[in-house]
């Protein structure tokens, strides 16, 4: 994830406030909230992209050996994005190891799988996508700091629903239409004129 110059300045100000709490102007609060929303959206988009890539990889793996070139390319992209090879990937690569690219990928995937198993046995949590964080609801010195403290209001009493005094009825002067007026009868198409043969 890369930040632009404006986003970095907002992040720098937010970190400074986190280290040394002080009231913030409204525009800084809005900028921090906008940055938090942007980061959340980037994390959600990365999750959607990861799910799409894994589904695409599974489709290509199921279509092997016909999809060899596409599968190897997708697997390389997935590994670069942090994908951990699964047993299905290792089995597919073992079957394809006559291809030099598949053999190199098999070695790489074995090393990654070994590291993952060792980390699991050592009790080190595997790197995963960050858990969704709670929404940032307030910052010190935000809008609430400008407003005077309000007394809690009494809960509203529910209003009674508006009921018309007389139910609306159709005018009595107008008669009810007949079904034949609403749905006219279907006309049968006329048979095509027969051509007379000269002769």
């Amino acid at each position: 994830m890369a930040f632009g110059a404006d986003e970095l300045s907002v992040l720098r100000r937010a970190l400074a406030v986190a280290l040394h709490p002080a009231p913030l102007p409204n525009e800084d609060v809005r900028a921090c909230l906008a940055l938090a929303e942007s980061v959340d959206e980037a994390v959600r988009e990365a999750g959607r992209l990861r799910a799409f890539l894994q589904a695409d990889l599974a489709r290509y793996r199921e279509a092997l050996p016909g999809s060899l070139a596409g599968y190897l390319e997708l697997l390389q992209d997935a590994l670069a994005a942090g994908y951990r090879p699964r047993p299905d990937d290792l089995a597919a690569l073992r079957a394809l190891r006559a291809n030099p690219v598949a053999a190199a990928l098999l070695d790489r995937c074995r090393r990654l799988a070994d590291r993952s198993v060792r980390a699991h046995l050592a009790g080190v949590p595997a790197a995963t996508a960050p858990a969704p964080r709670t929404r940032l609801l307030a910052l010190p010195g935000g809008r609430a700091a400008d407003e005077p403290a309000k007394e809690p209001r009494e809960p509203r009493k529910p209003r009674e629903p508006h009921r018309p005094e007389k139910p609306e009825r159709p005018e009595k002067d107008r008669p009810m239409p007949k079904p034949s007026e609403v749905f006219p009868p279907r006309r049968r198409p006329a048979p095509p004129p027969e051509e007379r043969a000269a002769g």
Side-chain angles (χ1 to χ4, degrees), residues 169-185:
R169 292 185 182 154
E171 298 176 15
K172 293 182 179 179
D173 299 339
R174 193 169 136 200
M176 183 70 74
K178 296 179 186 173
S180 62
E181 294 172 344
V182 176
F183 304 105

Side-chain angles (χ1 to χ4, degrees), residues 56-123:
D56 212 16
L57 192 60
R59 279 193 297 275
Y60 273 81
R61 186 175 48 239
E62 290 170 6
L64 284 173
S67 63
L68 176 67
Y71 174 70
L72 295 177
E73 185 179 334
L74 271 175
L75 185 57
Q76 287 175 343
D77 292 345
L79 291 173
Y83 174 74
R84 296 189 182 281
R86 297 185 176 157
D88 293 341
D89 295 313
L90 293 171
L93 289 172
R94 272 189 223 105
L96 301 169
R97 67 179 146 210
N99 182 312
V101 176
L105 270 175
L106 178 61
D107 290 338
R108 182 177 173 193
C109 287
R110 280 183 181 160
R111 284 193 306 271
L112 289 172
D114 287 344
R115 270 192 234 144
S116 178
V117 168
R118 285 189 187 122
H120 180 70
L121 293 175

Side-chain angles (χ1 to χ4, degrees):
M1 183 180 315
F3 291 108
D6 293 338
E7 293 164 331
L8 281 176
S9 69
V10 170
L11 187 58
R12 194 174 303 123
R13 286 192 310 258
L15 289 174
V17 168
L19 292 173
H20 306 288
L24 285 176
N26 282 344
E27 64 186 45
D28 285 350
V29 172
R30 281 191 219 105
C32 288
L33 291 174
L35 179 63
E37 185 62 35
S38 296
V39 169
D40 286 345
E41 180 57 33
V43 168
R44 285 191 296 268
E45 182 62 29
R48 286 190 293 264
L49 182 62
R50 189 172 28 259
F52 174 77
L53 186 61
Q54 288 177 0
D56 212 16
L57 192 60
R59 279 193 297 275
Y60 273 81
R61 186 175 48 239
E62 290 170 6
L64 284 173
S67 63
L68 176 67
Y71 174 70
L72 295 177
E73 185 179 334
L74 271 175
L75 185 57
Q76 287 175 343
D77 292 345
L79 291 173
Y83 174 74
R84 296 189 182 281
R86 297 185 176 157
D88 293 341
D89 295 313
L90 293 171
L93 289 172
R94 272 189 223 105
L96 301 169
R97 67 179 146 210
N99 182 312
V101 176
L105 270 175
L106 178 61
D107 290 338
R108 182 177 173 193
C109 287
R110 280 183 181 160
R111 284 193 306 271
L112 289 172
D114 287 344
R115 270 192 234 144
S116 178
V117 168
R118 285 189 187 122
H120 180 70
L121 293 175
V124 177
T128 58
R133 60 183 185 78
T134 57
R135 292 225 6 107
L136 183 60
L137 299 177
L139 289 174
R143 289 184 192 166
D146 296 340
E147 299 173 2
K150 295 181 181 177
E151 295 179 15
R153 293 189 288 178
E154 293 182 20
R156 291 184 182 178
K157 295 179 183 176
R159 290 189 281 171
E160 292 185 28
H162 175 69
R163 294 187 180 134
E165 294 179 12
K166 290 184 181 178
E168 294 182 21
R169 292 185 182 154
E171 298 176 15
K172 293 182 179 179
D173 299 339
R174 193 169 136 200
M176 183 70 74
K178 296 179 186 173
S180 62
E181 294 172 344
V182 176
F183 304 105
R186 297 181 79 178
R187 307 253 186 244
R188 292 188 182 174
E194 294 180 20
E195 295 183 23
R196 294 184 185 181

